[in-house]
Amino acid sequence: MGLIAERYAGDGPEWDRFAVPQPGFTHFHQFGWKSILEDVFGHQCLYFVARGDDGSLAAILPLVRVKSVLFGHYLVSMPFLNYGGPLGSGEGIGALVGEATGEARRSGARLLELRSRTPLSLELPVSHRKITVVLDLPSDQEVLFRSFSSKLRSQIRRPAKEGVTVRFGSDQVEPFYEVFSCHMRDLGTPTLPRRFFQAIADRFPVESWFGCAWLGEEPVACGAGFRWGDEFEMTWASALAKYNRIAPNMMLYWAFMERAIAARVQLFNFGRCNPDSGTHRFKRQWGSRDEALWWYQWASGGATDAGTPSPDQGKYAWGPRLWRHLPLGLSRVLGPWIVKSIP
């Protein structure tokens, strides 16, 4: 069967019907992300498909152009998120990767990055600079709780003794952002815009979970993530440093795990992190395991150490030092303008 690679001109249901049963599918392959990235960030979404002679889909590739004078020109599947990359038959994937690399060359992109969850048969360099951490969930939350160390169980219980409670729902988007943006400022990292998270809650009201830990009338820790299939991923999580003593984030994570078990989810995904970092150690204390991420890359000029912009890079190291000293309100204004160009 001959295949034709082309820009997708169909509707969301056709795309999603093909995507969902494919190996390597994640929530971020759904067509609904296209309108979020276009409306919130103004990025060009180059969603490609490979079709057979009969018009049927053989493969899909959600691809987004992220371009700025400050950081450069990138083609990423998917930016700001942990997963993306092509799905479908081997022949179809090969056709789409050829189309994507051709687009990168023609348009002068510095880097094409395909953030696959699974290994693919591609003749492209692969980066494992990020990993994800996952925990198998039993059907009974008490079984999981008893599997934790006594220290971890104590940390989970402590916030409740201090009066902390956890709430879930779309009404938690605003308090989520209060905590998240403050935490990002304290880390020296520009924050994503509030309307990005509101757009997610509006577009995916069932699959997106927003939760906050509250101490009285103040949100002190927050998390947001996505359920697809038998998996839940905690994509973003933060806590206010001044409450570290009572560890509200521990109770928050446990509340998400309880909810996942109640929803018959079998895998709790802690999201991506740098190997051997403090975040990595936090995620491993729950009895979880590491999974490699397969981020395939084509770089202009054949560079072998390519990557998207990071504060860890020397030329950007001044940014976090400056950002930590900004007033919170100003960081919330400037952050979204900067971070939209850092995929």
Side-chain angles (χ1 to χ4, degrees):
M1 179 177 68
L3 293 177
I4 298 175
E6 60 186 12
R7 288 279 296 275
Y8 184 63
D11 58 19
E14 181 194 23
W15 177 284
D16 289 343
R17 281 195 302 270
F18 178 84
V20 170
Q22 299 299 321
F25 167 79
T26 69
H27 189 274
F28 314 112
H29 286 94
Q30 293 189 65
F31 196 74
W33 282 98
K34 183 175 184 289
S35 61
I36 292 176
L37 296 174
E38 289 173 337
D39 295 346
V40 174
F41 299 104
H43 292 321
Q44 182 187 22
C45 292
L46 306 169
Y47 275 41
F48 289 110
V49 296
R51 291 189 184 273
D53 295 333
D54 60 357
S56 62
L57 291 176
I60 61 170
L61 172 59
L63 192 63
V64 182
R65 191 187 309 280
V66 181
K67 187 176 183 180
S68 70
V69 174
L70 181 60
F71 295 107
H73 181 183
Y74 301 88
L75 292 172
V76 185
S77 175
M78 291 283 286
F80 318 114
L81 303 168
N82 300 336
Y83 306 121
L87 301 176
S89 70
E91 184 181 2
I93 288 174
L96 292 183
V97 172
E99 186 70 18
T101 54
E103 173 62 30
R105 289 190 183 96
R106 289 190 297 270
S107 63
R110 178 181 299 177
L111 177 72
L112 165 70
E113 185 165 73
L114 308 175
R115 297 176 174 176
S116 178
R117 177 76 180 271
T118 57
L120 302 172
S121 297
L122 300 178
E123 294 183 3
L124 287 176
V126 63
S127 170
H128 297 300
R129 69 182 187 274
K130 301 287 186 180
I131 59 172
T132 195
V133 181
V134 298
L135 174 67
D136 295 308
L137 296 177
S139 58
D140 186 337
Q141 67 184 44
E142 285 302 316
V143 171
L144 179 61
F145 192 77
R146 289 196 299 270
S147 73
F148 297 152
S149 68
S150 59
K151 178 182 178 181
L152 183 57
R153 294 197 299 269
S154 177
Q155 289 175 316
I156 292 170
R157 292 187 180 111
R158 180 170 185 175
K161 296 176 181 178
E162 300 283 347
V164 175
T165 59
V166 176
R167 307 173 197 170
F168 288 100
S170 59
D171 61 339
Q172 298 303 297
V173 174
E174 184 69 24
F176 164 89
Y177 192 76
E178 288 184 29
V179 177
F180 177 77
S181 59
C182 182
H183 182 66
M184 290 298 103
R185 191 279 310 271
D186 292 347
L187 290 176
T189 303
T191 183
L192 289 158
R194 178 188 285 105
R195 66 191 191 101
F196 175 58
F197 298 106
Q198 189 60 59
I200 288 170
D202 293 342
R203 182 64 183 81
F204 301 112
V206 176
E207 303 103 306
S208 64
W209 296 2
F210 285 85
C212 287
W214 292 77
L215 183 60
E217 296 302 311
E218 183 180 9
V220 295
C222 68
F226 304 91
R227 190 264 175 91
W228 69 88
D230 61 0
E231 182 171 354
F232 172 80
E233 182 197 77
M234 183 78 96
T235 312
W236 300 283
S238 297
L240 298 182
K242 64 181 178 179
Y243 293 104
N244 283 350
R245 181 185 61 83
I246 62 173
N249 60 322
M250 305 302 287
M251 182 178 178
L252 179 82
Y253 268 85
W254 174 242
F256 270 93
M257 291 178 192
E258 287 183 308
R259 181 176 181 179
I261 290 172
R264 299 185 179 180
V265 170
Q266 298 176 23
L267 192 69
F268 189 93
N269 186 330
F270 287 87
R272 81 184 190 211
C273 60
N274 295 320
D276 301 319
S277 64
T279 302
H280 184 204
R281 290 189 290 273
F282 170 85
K283 295 174 179 181
R284 286 302 307 270
Q285 70 179 321
W286 300 84
S288 52
R289 67 180 188 277
D290 298 344
E291 283 190 356
L293 296 181
W294 300 79
W295 289 10
Y296 292 90
Q297 300 178 330
W298 174 92
S300 176
T304 58
D305 58 348
T308 51
S310 168
D312 298 331
Q313 294 173 312
K315 63 181 178 179
Y316 301 124
W318 57 269
R321 292 195 296 268
L322 172 64
W323 203 261
R324 293 186 186 99
H325 297 288
L326 287 183
L328 181 57
L330 183 59
S331 73
R332 287 171 173 166
V333 173
L334 296 179
W337 179 77
I338 295 173
V339 79
K340 73 176 184 178
S341 301
I342 308 176

